[in-house]
Amino acid sequence: MAKGSKMPRGEEEAAAEDHRVRTGAVRREATRRKLLSAAVEVFAQKGPDAASIDDFLAAAGVARGTFYNYFKTTSELLDAVTAELNDEVILAIEMCVAKIENPIERVWTGCLIFVDIAVMHPAWGAFITRTGIREAASGRLTNVYLPRDLAAARERGIAKFTNVRAAKDLLLGAIHQSIETVLAGVEPAEHSRAVMRLALSALGVLKSTIDRLERMPLPDIALPDGLQSLEAAADKIRA
């Protein structure tokens, strides 16, 4: 288009509409993030079950209608917050284990780090035990890294099972139940390793491999920002 010439009317309208759509999407996402951020503090203060919609409205400074534009119930909001934090935790774990060449070692290490974080930070553990393995609360990355490593372990003959989804569900169930058992004080923290031993054995991993994995120390990882916020809010309540 020559310098100084005007854009055709149809193109102008299309460009204006595109700008409105993009601006609206940014605004909606900002409001959603505001609700999720407020929800972290409210859930930390009142627990996953006792908070009301009015608590979230006050914390986020939004109208009731705005809340319902994003979430139908407090349970749906809890799932969204848990999914968000789950993805943060899983991404931090992936960054820690990505350099490990053996896929079943990545599975063992990643699962146990996840359990340890939940046990050492009960405010986060309460989210895990409350939402369980509901798909809406699991986060997007649950269906990325764990299935990838399970499939790689099967392809290399390190594990022997027929269905990756079934193997993933078995491990997720083991992880969540071991967290609940330890946080309830029924078993000590070491219980999670016993559960993981049985889970890997069920997936056809050799006992010698599991014995080697159990002797390995777990690496330290930095607590993701979202969990730091949750921890800080919980600490403020306790103080």
Side-chain angles (χ1 to χ4, degrees):
M1 186 181 295
K3 185 177 179 180
S5 62
K6 288 188 65 177
M7 184 183 297
R9 181 179 180 82
E11 291 184 20
E12 275 188 350
E13 291 174 350
E17 178 61 23
D18 180 62
H19 176 72
R20 282 194 294 271
V21 169
R22 286 188 284 108
T23 301
V26 169
R27 189 181 299 115
R28 284 192 297 273
E29 179 59 19
T31 302
R32 183 177 182 275
R33 302 296 313 171
K34 186 178 182 181
L35 280 165
L36 291 175
S37 178
V40 168
E41 185 157 350
V42 171
F43 281 129
Q45 177 183 1
K46 302 213 166 190
D49 295 307
S52 69
I53 289 176
D54 287 337
D55 294 323
F56 300 115
L57 300 183
V62 300
R64 187 174 297 271
T66 300
F67 178 93
Y68 285 120
N69 284 337
Y70 296 87
F71 306 103
K72 296 182 179 66
T73 63
T74 58
S75 180
E76 192 175 296
L77 176 57
L78 175 63
D79 283 353
V81 172
T82 306
E84 191 91 6
L85 295 176
N86 251 328
D87 278 347
E88 281 196 32
V89 172
I90 292 170
L91 183 59
I93 291 172
E94 169 63 16
M95 293 173 66
C96 180
V97 304
K99 59 182 177 292
I100 298 174
E101 190 273 334
N102 185 314
I104 210 66
E105 186 176 326
R106 291 198 296 269
V107 169
W108 169 271
T109 304
C111 288
L112 285 179
I113 289 175
F114 187 93
V115 173
D116 281 359
I117 290 174
V119 169
M120 289 188 294
H121 302 280
W124 165 237
F127 280 61
I128 297 295
T129 56
R130 174 63 179 79
T131 58
I133 55 175
R134 288 203 299 264
E135 190 74 21
S138 295
R140 179 181 60 85
L141 297 183
T142 300
N143 293 316
V144 176
Y145 300 124
L146 184 55
R148 175 203 66 189
D149 291 340
L150 287 169
R154 184 180 63 176
E155 288 166 10
R156 290 174 54 172
I158 304 170
K160 301 183 188 302
F161 54 88
T162 57
N163 185 291
V164 172
R165 176 59 187 259
K168 184 200 84 169
D169 287 352
L170 172 68
L171 280 173
L172 289 180
I175 289 168
H176 284 78
Q177 186 58 52
S178 64
I179 290 170
E180 187 158 355
T181 298
V182 173
L183 286 179
V186 178
E187 294 288 344
E190 293 76 19
H191 176 71
S192 59
R193 288 178 173 264
V195 172
M196 279 297 295
R197 281 191 67 97
L198 288 173
L200 291 193
S201 179
L203 295 178
V205 180
L206 292 174
K207 180 180 180 299
S208 58
T209 299
I210 299 173
D211 289 342
R212 178 182 65 79
L213 292 173
E214 192 160 26
R215 291 192 295 269
M216 292 169 28
L218 293 180
D220 294 324
I221 72 167
L223 203 62
D225 290 344
L227 259 62
Q228 288 186 34
S229 298
L230 179 63
E231 189 86 350
D235 287 344
K236 186 165 65 176
I237 302 307
R238 287 192 290 267

